[in-house]
Amino acid sequence: MPSLNHVEASARGASITVESYQVDLDLTDPGDRFRSASVIRFRATPGAETFVDVKPVTLRSARLNGRELDPAGLTDGRLPLTGLAADNTLTVDAEMGYSNTGEGLHRFVDPADGETYLYAMSFLDEAPRIFAAFDQPDLKAPVTLSVTAPPHWLVAANGEVAATPRPGRWEFAPTQPLATYFVSLIAGPWHVRRDTHDGIPLGLWCRRSLAEHLDADLDEIFTITKQCLDRFHRLFVERYPFGKYDQAFVPEFNAAAMENPGLVTLRDDYLFRSAVTDTQRELRATTIAHEMAHQWFGDLVTMSWWDDLWLNESFAEYLGTRVTAEATRFARAWTTFAMRRKAWGYAADQRPSTHPVAPQEVADAAQALLNFDGISYAKGASALRQLVAWLGDDAFLAGLNAHFAAHRFGNATLADLLDSLGKASGRDLTDWAERWLRRPQVNTLRTEAVVDAGGRWAEVAVRQTAVEAYPVLRPHRIGVGRYAPDGTAHRFEVDLDPDADGGRTVLAELAGVPADALLLPNDGDLTFAKVRLDPASAALVPTLLPSLADPLARALLWREALDAATDGERPVPGLVDLIATALPAETEVIIAEDVLTLSRSLVDRYLDAPTRQAALARLADACARLLASAPAGGSLQLAGARGLIGASTDAGLLAGWLAGDGVPAGLAVDTELRWAVLRRLVVLGAAGEPEVAAELARDNSAAGAERAAYCRAALPDAGAKRAAWEIVTRTTELSNRLVEAAAEGFWQPEQAELTGPYVERYFAEMPGAARLRTAWVAERVAALAFPRYAVAQPTREAAAALLARDDLTAGLRRAVTDADDDLRRALVARTAMAATVAA
């Protein structure tokens, strides 16, 4: 079906005003369909014509102002509406299909107990799979929903329950004006816990088989929710504007969460079945805060079109991290942001598919979907943090509050926001916005130091550079940290003028200071820029890193080392040396986890087989030392255990853990850790289908089914690979999560010979496979199924040939473009290492 484009949306938005939606759903049919009846009241320019979006299995009838419309006129999800009056009533009766892709009205049967659960995901343009709608963000209207469901089910929606006139019949109060992509509901035999805070009814929902896991963390989740509400109410004049605040943990969700007003949906992976690290708990907290921030940015004030989606995601990312750090026990959320979220942003911004935070034009909804990436989230949030450092927090918040007041329950653009911020701060933000929001790619900040004969700095400067294709330099307010071997630290802030001296800023504060310390640009992580240390500082990292007290400074130094290896500026074995030296002393779990995860990715792709084996042995040894020194039963111990499992080639050790032998004191080999061990044993050829089936029998759950799908795809067996490839490229009966698990497990560095024939098959078959699936799922599967370990020039040539075609879906083109760029980097690194060895 064609994606709604901006020209069409603008024309429709200019000709009609939607006054209300009345939607009645019948969910009682046990089959694969449900009944949807919609009544839309709207005003229009008399005599105008437009179309309504509806994507049914069967369009039963449609009436416009009492006039029957021909259902045969429905084409590509659009029903033409002609001869409009000043005031119009459209009724649409349709049979809709349930989905298994996490979009539309998703239907899930829980393998644990056979119960059926439904949830609605209207984002980005999937509302017409549930009800007829004018599906674009600037046509907001109140929604009144009614649902008929099996009598033993519970139903929740955006609005409050207004009445339950009989068992199985649910009627909800009209909502505040909503964009159609926010309309949601859940239905099924849900488990629910309720509370109230500051006059706001709170609810937490999950399926019954996860009830014990929700209840175990009930106090923590409610506490975080209340703390975040209180903090937002202190930041914003406008209180939470949508009545109740339900949060539903739903199965097989595509995203982390969705900010539906009154009924936030979150992936139920956030209900922990096994021991987790504090990083995972913090991620749940920041997700709760992120979705709550959306109640103002996105829900109360909604972007006019998808080119301003950053007004949703960048603000929610920034405020979600900020409020988590300020209001909850996770005070170091900015360290996690620096370590994990910005790594995502830096990677996205350097790829060929990069785009501005706020593009001048997003042609259609399909293109908008591609922009929900590390740029719209992490880079945009970083730009906002930089803006706060530049404007000051008081002016920033005053501008936001003025923005909410001016556009309450309406729509706004970048220009509207800049106007509010400019008036509040007294500054012209035009140039700032042009450099930061309208131009893509990332700057690099390098320290340059000259030492005099007495061992003091004669001059220290920070030089800002940009890549040739995107030569924009930006204003940066940064911290500069000076970390001495004796443990003393000093930090000061400086403004980098992009127009002065070719991007070079001299740090007068350091002239004449003893040059015996490590200099860290962007200390405090106030800006979005890659950093590179001067050679003397880089040489001090292995000595100073383990003893630095500030976890954010350690995170930034690790990021610098990882980034330099990723760019091929330093060899990966050197990074492994640093890990062997410094990681066992790390005390911040997010740093330990992400250093291991990111370095493992580099080891697997940047090193040839013999060098990789040696590097894995050193990583495993570092993990074993971290595991041995970490407090028993804590997050660091679990992080060390996971790292050891992933890097180890000692099948005997891993099999012993499964049997309960040799397990470190305090480490629980619980459900999730058992799956992690089995996954590694499968890859090593030390476990097979019987062991996978036995583990699935122990864990008869949706999560267990996903873990088993990964393991079966990872089996070093030709038949298993054929079966997995069939799932990835042809099967549509399985849910999104099971297909993604098979795609992720298929390629393994240890199985290059076995999977070699599938490299060509990926490029030949993926275009057809992508057309079988919805855009969101297709892009995800294409990315996971890419032959990422086939690091060779022929792979890149095959990618180039595929990208030369003109019949690719936008998501497949994006996935292959990005994955090919990762291969390019890996080849550059391998070539450089080969040259070094030869020399």
Side-chain angles (χ1 to χ4, degrees):
M1 293 183 181
S3 178
L4 181 69
N5 66 52
H6 196 187
V7 173
E8 294 168 329
S10 296
R12 185 164 66 176
S15 65
I16 69 169
T17 300
V18 185
E19 295 184 317
S20 68
Y21 286 96
Q22 187 171 333
V23 179
D24 195 330
L25 304 179
D26 187 337
L27 310 177
T28 57
D29 191 321
D32 59 0
R33 299 184 184 185
F34 62 97
R35 189 82 171 266
S36 172
S38 306
V39 179
I40 311 174
R41 293 180 172 85
F42 64 101
R43 300 193 307 274
T45 303
E49 61 182 55
T50 187
F51 59 91
V52 68
D53 304 296
V54 58
K55 302 174 183 177
V57 177
T58 302
L59 180 58
R60 297 170 62 91
S61 67
R63 295 170 62 87
L64 176 63
N65 299 328
R67 171 169 50 93
E68 292 286 347
L69 302 180
D70 184 1
L74 179 66
T75 303
D76 290 332
R78 298 177 178 183
L79 182 65
L81 306 176
T82 59
L84 296 178
D87 294 290
N88 302 272
T89 300
L90 173 68
T91 63
V92 178
D93 185 6
E95 287 187 347
M96 301 292 192
Y98 292 115
S99 88
N100 65 354
T101 65
E103 300 148 294
L105 194 56
H106 184 93
R107 184 175 185 269
F108 169 83
V109 178
D110 193 338
D113 57 16
E115 294 284 6
T116 298
Y117 295 88
L118 309 177
Y119 65 86
M121 178 61 160
S122 299
F123 174 85
L124 176 140
D125 54 0
E126 299 295 346
R129 297 190 185 278
I130 306 170
F131 62 98
F134 296 110
D135 194 27
Q136 58 191 70
D138 61 335
L139 291 177
K140 300 172 72 171
V143 179
T144 303
L145 177 68
S146 301
V147 176
T148 303
H152 69 289
W153 281 15
L154 298 178
V155 180
N158 303 94
E160 297 270 10
V161 175
T164 52
R166 64 179 187 275
R169 181 65 178 174
W170 299 78
E171 296 178 356
F172 296 90
T175 68
Q176 296 284 5
L178 302 182
T180 49
Y181 76 92
F182 294 138
V183 178
S184 190
L185 73 142
I186 59 173
W190 295 88
H191 172 75
V192 59
R193 294 297 191 211
R194 302 186 189 278
D195 201 348
T196 59
H197 181 67
D198 194 15
I200 301 170
L202 307 178
L204 297 175
W205 302 71
C206 73
R207 47 198 166 98
R208 288 180 179 175
S209 64
L210 295 177
E212 64 176 302
H213 307 302
L214 172 61
D215 290 351
D217 281 352
L218 195 66
D219 288 344
E220 178 176 320
I221 297 172
F222 270 140
T223 296
I224 288 168
T225 301
K226 296 171 185 179
Q227 289 170 332
C228 292
L229 276 170
D230 287 345
R231 184 59 184 153
F232 279 115
H233 285 162
R234 286 193 293 271
L235 292 173
F236 300 148
V237 174
E238 175 84 32
R239 283 175 54 83
Y240 170 69
F242 296 104
K244 70 182 178 71
Y245 197 80
D246 283 339
Q247 297 173 92
F249 295 88
V250 300
E252 299 181 332
F253 206 52
N254 276 325
M258 181 63 199
E259 63 269 22
N260 315 303
L263 181 62
V264 172
T265 43
L266 306 94
R267 56 169 53 209
D268 61 16
D269 307 70
Y270 285 129
L271 298 180
F272 306 127
R273 309 182 311 146
S274 299
V276 294
T277 65
D278 274 351
T279 301
Q280 290 168 276
R281 293 188 178 277
E282 181 190 298
L283 176 59
R284 181 171 67 189
T286 54
T287 302
I288 289 170
H290 177 113
E291 302 312 317
M292 195 177 291
H294 272 308
Q295 307 307 309
W296 288 265
F297 278 101
D299 298 5
L300 177 67
V301 181
T302 306
M303 60 195 167
S304 295
W305 179 245
W306 298 107
D307 48 5
D308 277 325
L309 70 88
W310 81 284
L311 291 174
N312 288 12
E313 299 305 342
S314 298
F315 276 90
E317 182 86 357
Y318 166 73
L319 286 163
T321 304
R322 171 176 171 165
V323 166
T324 300
E326 292 175 351
T328 77
R329 71 181 179 91
F330 301 105
R332 292 178 176 173
W334 284 117
T335 299
T336 303
F337 181 80
M339 195 71 205
R340 178 170 294 177
R341 302 297 283 180
K342 288 184 77 172
W344 178 37
Y346 290 137
D349 204 23
Q350 294 177 83
R351 287 183 168 132
S353 61
T354 187
H355 59 85
V357 172
Q360 290 280 3
E361 175 68 19
V362 171
D364 55 29
Q367 183 182 341
L369 182 62
L370 300 181
N371 288 352
F372 281 80
D373 57 14
I375 297 169
S376 297
Y377 285 73
K379 181 182 180 180
S382 301
L384 291 175
R385 195 176 190 210
Q386 176 64 192
L387 181 61
V388 173
W390 187 51
L391 290 183
D393 200 46
D394 289 344
F396 179 72
L397 292 174
L400 298 191
N401 281 304
H403 182 68
F404 298 146
H407 305 286
R408 188 172 185 266
F409 294 119
N411 298 85
T413 65
L414 168 62
D416 295 325
L417 177 69
L418 294 179
D419 180 65
S420 296
L421 290 171
K423 289 177 179 176
S425 65
R427 295 199 184 192
D428 183 353
L429 300 181
T430 304
D431 183 64
W432 183 92
E434 177 65 26
R435 294 177 190 251
W436 272 104
L437 304 179
R438 296 297 197 193
R439 304 285 186 90
Q441 259 283 353
V442 60
N443 299 124
T444 300
L445 307 179
R446 299 177 184 270
T447 48
E448 301 174 343
V450 178
V451 181
D452 64 21
R456 296 176 179 272
W457 282 307
E459 182 182 81
V460 178
V462 174
R463 183 182 297 277
Q464 177 184 178
T465 60
V467 297
E468 184 177 353
Y470 299 99
V472 61
L473 300 183
R474 298 176 174 91
H476 298 267
R477 173 162 289 180
I478 66 168
V480 177
R482 178 182 179 274
Y483 294 93
D486 64 4
T488 59
H490 174 66
R491 178 177 176 271
F492 60 92
E493 291 188 7
V494 62
D495 288 328
L496 306 183
D497 184 348
D499 301 319
D501 195 21
R504 189 173 187 271
T505 301
V506 175
L507 307 180
E509 295 90 335
L510 294 175
V513 174
D516 60 349
L518 181 152
L519 294 179
L520 176 60
N522 197 27
D523 194 20
D525 201 34
L526 294 179
T527 198
F528 185 83
K530 298 176 17 158
V531 301
R532 288 294 183 269
L533 305 180
D534 62 277
S537 293
L540 286 172
V541 169
T543 302
L544 289 181
L545 183 56
S547 61
L548 282 184
D550 183 1
L552 180 54
R554 297 199 305 276
L556 295 173
L557 288 173
W558 277 114
R559 281 293 331 143
E560 194 268 357
L562 287 160
D563 191 61
T566 300
D567 286 353
E569 295 180 20
R570 298 182 203 143
V572 171
L575 173 64
V576 174
D577 289 342
L578 180 61
I579 292 170
T581 299
L583 191 72
E586 184 53 61
T587 58
E588 196 74 12
V589 65
I590 178 60
I591 296 177
E593 287 177 310
D594 278 23
V595 166
L596 289 171
T597 299
L598 296 170
S599 63
R600 175 65 191 276
S601 175
L602 295 176
V603 164
D604 285 344
R605 292 183 294 114
Y606 280 38
L607 303 181
D608 60 26
T611 313
R612 175 180 176 271
Q613 286 301 110
L616 282 181
R618 299 203 71 196
L619 290 179
D621 178 69
C623 291
R625 287 187 286 135
L626 177 64
L627 181 60
S629 63
S635 288
L636 270 176
Q637 185 190 47
L638 182 55
R642 290 171 175 172
L644 177 58
I645 291 166
S648 178
T649 58
D650 187 344
L653 171 72
L654 300 179
W657 281 16
L658 279 185
D661 297 331
V663 180
L667 181 67
V669 184
D670 53 23
T671 301
E672 289 295 348
L673 206 63
R674 287 184 63 86
W675 278 116
V677 171
L678 182 59
R679 180 165 72 178
R680 187 60 180 157
L681 288 173
V682 161
V683 171
L684 295 174
E689 173 57 31
E691 289 81 5
V692 176
E695 197 62 34
L696 182 57
R698 288 173 57 109
D699 180 20
N700 182 31
S701 68
E706 292 173 29
R707 310 299 184 263
Y710 180 104
C711 287
R712 284 169 171 149
L715 287 167
D717 172 80
K721 294 300 182 188
R722 283 195 299 272
W725 196 250
E726 181 76 14
I727 290 171
V728 170
T729 58
R730 293 178 177 83
T731 300
T732 58
E733 293 78 17
L734 296 179
S735 75
N736 53 329
R737 287 291 192 87
L738 294 177
V739 175
E740 290 168 9
E744 186 177 11
F746 187 87
W747 302 98
Q748 301 292 335
E750 293 85 353
Q751 300 170 3
E753 184 174 347
L754 178 62
T755 56
Y758 290 91
V759 175
E760 291 185 7
R761 290 187 62 177
Y762 175 91
F763 297 105
E765 298 175 30
M766 196 50 63
R771 286 188 287 272
L772 293 176
R773 310 191 189 282
T774 61
W776 198 345
V777 177
E779 181 186 4
R780 176 75 174 153
V781 171
L784 290 170
F786 188 89
R788 53 193 177 276
Y789 302 122
V791 182
Q793 189 59 33
T795 311
R796 292 209 64 208
E797 292 168 359
L802 178 63
L803 293 172
R805 293 171 52 167
D806 59 6
D807 62 341
L808 304 186
T809 64
L812 176 58
R813 184 173 299 280
R814 171 71 172 264
V816 173
T817 297
D818 289 351
D820 173 65
D821 192 59
D822 289 342
L823 280 185
R824 176 191 63 80
R825 288 173 175 269
L827 279 171
V828 167
R830 288 193 180 194
T831 301
M833 177 168 287
T836 300
V837 171

